[in-house]
């Protein structure tokens, strides 16, 4: 299987789920449901920093190793209109101190390690909002879209 295909499947999984944390093996299994694949080979590719960078830049998909050793997969695709963005910005602000405001992943006791205080586009901290460092920019962009900017 070529690596484009692997990235495409991770992107599809991220889009379906928005955000998920599982062992990398399980994520690979979910991305390749119903197929027989070489999980070790795919895992080798996905663990590479270069692959994770490519996913983030070209596939709107964040993948990284969590403190627990599991992997986090996040879809960073943004809506192209203010109305949809407003629905997302209000829906995602649940459980705000223990969950990422952007992707909604609940970190519970890992929140102090994995989440950071969100900032406005001009760098002002928003104390009521926590985000993954990797979600911070997408969260700012989503809010700008929601404001019609
Ligand atoms: Zn997040």
């Amino acid at each position: 299987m070529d690596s484009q295909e692997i990235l495409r499947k991770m992107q599809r999984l991220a889009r379906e789920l928005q955000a998920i944390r599982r062992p990398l093996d399980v994520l690979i299994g979910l991305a390749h449901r119903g197929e027989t694949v070489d999980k070790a080979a795919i895992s080798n590719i996905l663990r590479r920093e270069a692959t994770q960078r490519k996913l983030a830049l070209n596939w709107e998909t964040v993948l990284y190793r969590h403190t627990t050793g599991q992997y986090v997969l996040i879809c960073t695709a943004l809506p192209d209109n203010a109305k949809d963005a407003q629905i997302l910005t209000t829906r995602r602000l649940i459980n705000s101190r223990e969950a990422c405001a952007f992707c909604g992943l609940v970190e519970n006791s890992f929140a102090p390690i994995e989440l950071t205080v969100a900032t406005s586009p001009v760098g002002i901290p928003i104390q009521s909002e926590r985000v993954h460092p990797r979600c911070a920019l997408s969260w700012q962009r989503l809010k700008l879209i929601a404001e019609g900017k």
Side-chain angles (χ1 to χ4, degrees), residues 74 100 103 132 135:
I74 297 166
C100 174
C103 72
H132 292 115
C135 291

Side-chain angles (χ1 to χ4, degrees), residues 11-145:
Q11 179 191 44
R12 192 183 59 188
L13 183 65
R15 284 189 170 168
E16 277 173 28
L17 302 172
Q18 180 55 46
I20 182 175
R21 169 160 60 83
R22 290 287 185 282
L24 189 54
D25 267 27
V26 174
L27 292 178
I28 294 168
L30 287 170
H32 297 268
R33 261 163 298 186
E35 297 169 58
T36 314
V37 292
D38 182 348
K39 280 192 182 175
I42 296 175
S43 159
N44 259 332
I45 292 169
L46 290 176
R47 281 174 199 274
R48 283 181 208 147
E49 215 171 287
T51 305
Q52 292 167 19
R53 209 163 31 236
K54 212 183 285 176
L55 268 171
L57 287 174
N58 305 333
W59 299 81
E60 298 176 320
T61 302
V62 164
L63 178 74
Y64 65 93
R65 194 175 184 278
H66 190 260
T67 314
T68 54
Q70 296 190 340
Y71 274 72
V72 175
L73 181 70
I74 297 166
C75 174
T76 57
L78 297 170
D80 60 3
N81 65 83
K83 201 170 149 238
D84 289 347
Q86 280 159 14
I87 294 168
L88 291 176
T89 49
T90 45
R91 192 197 65 189
R92 288 177 184 178
L93 271 177
I94 34 155
N95 228 344
S96 64
R97 290 196 180 258
E98 290 184 349
C100 174
F102 177 73
C103 72
L105 199 72
V106 179
E107 291 286 0
N108 293 324
S109 59
F110 298 109
I113 309 166
E114 294 287 338
L115 300 179
T116 174
V117 175
T119 58
S120 75
V122 289
I124 299 164
I126 306 161
Q127 290 302 335
S128 59
E129 295 175 13
R130 302 282 185 279
V131 286
H132 292 115
R134 288 171 175 82
C135 291
L137 200 58
S138 301
W139 180 234
Q140 289 180 354
R141 286 185 182 144
L142 181 65
K143 294 215 288 188
L144 287 174
I145 296 169

